[in-house]
Amino acid sequence: LAKTTQPISMDSYEGQEVNITCSHNNIATNDYITWYQQFPSQGPRFIIQGYKTKVTNEVASLFIPADRKSSTLSLPRVSLSDTAVYYCLVGESGGYQKVTFGTGTKLQVIP
Amino acid sequence: EADIYQTPRYLVIGTGKKITLECSQTMGHDKMYWYQQDPGMELHLIHYSYGVNSTEKGDLSSESTVSRIRTEHFPLTLESARPSHTSQYLCASSDWDRKNTEAFFGQGTRLTVV
């Protein structure tokens, strides 16, 4: 099981780019990296998934270095509505049946 | 929009009562999950299922039980509710595999046991 480590919290001003890094030193060869967003009193919502290099969608970018021992979620020009908890997940090898969330990073966007 | 539904959204119930939290999905997903989350705290996986007639306990020990008789339905039951069971319960489903890691969550049931 690849354990993930993220900062507990981050603050950012509106309009800035925010980068949240996740460490996953024990990632397995076949594991994908996934990020979720959770607002208070709601279930998490899928943001982005990647295996290596860079992935971009309409919401965020995901940067994964060659050794894949970490990944960085990049949110361009954040707004107050981006205030949420962001979770980094790495798929379990040998079945991928469990979806286990860590502590996540609480992002506070400041006006 | 994800087609996964939880009922009720809010429930206040007395100690000792039996309750069942409902979760249904219309996406045909084999894998379903129950999480418990206290306000401001992390999600804890309490049960999961990878198909009909399969259920497993998650990472957090729970006195609740689950069943999976139909693909679309994954109810959670507490035989005797206690104040320590007060929490938010979130249900999710997915076709999670190595290349598809998107899980869909319901709106949650906020349970208060008095």
Side-chain angles (χ1 to χ4, degrees), chain A residues 27-42:
Chain A
I27 189 169
T29 303
N30 295 329
D31 284 342
Y32 275 65
I33 300 152
T34 312
W35 285 80
Y36 283 79
Q37 174 192 56
Q38 186 183 26
F39 298 114
S41 299
Q42 294 185 24

Side-chain angles (χ1 to χ4, degrees), chain A residues 5-7 10 19-23 35 70-73 105:
Chain A
T5 303
Q6 305 174 233
M10 295 179 68
N19 295 310
I20 306 174
T21 296
C22 177
S23 297
W35 285 80
S70 67
S71 59
T72 299
L73 176 73
T105 298

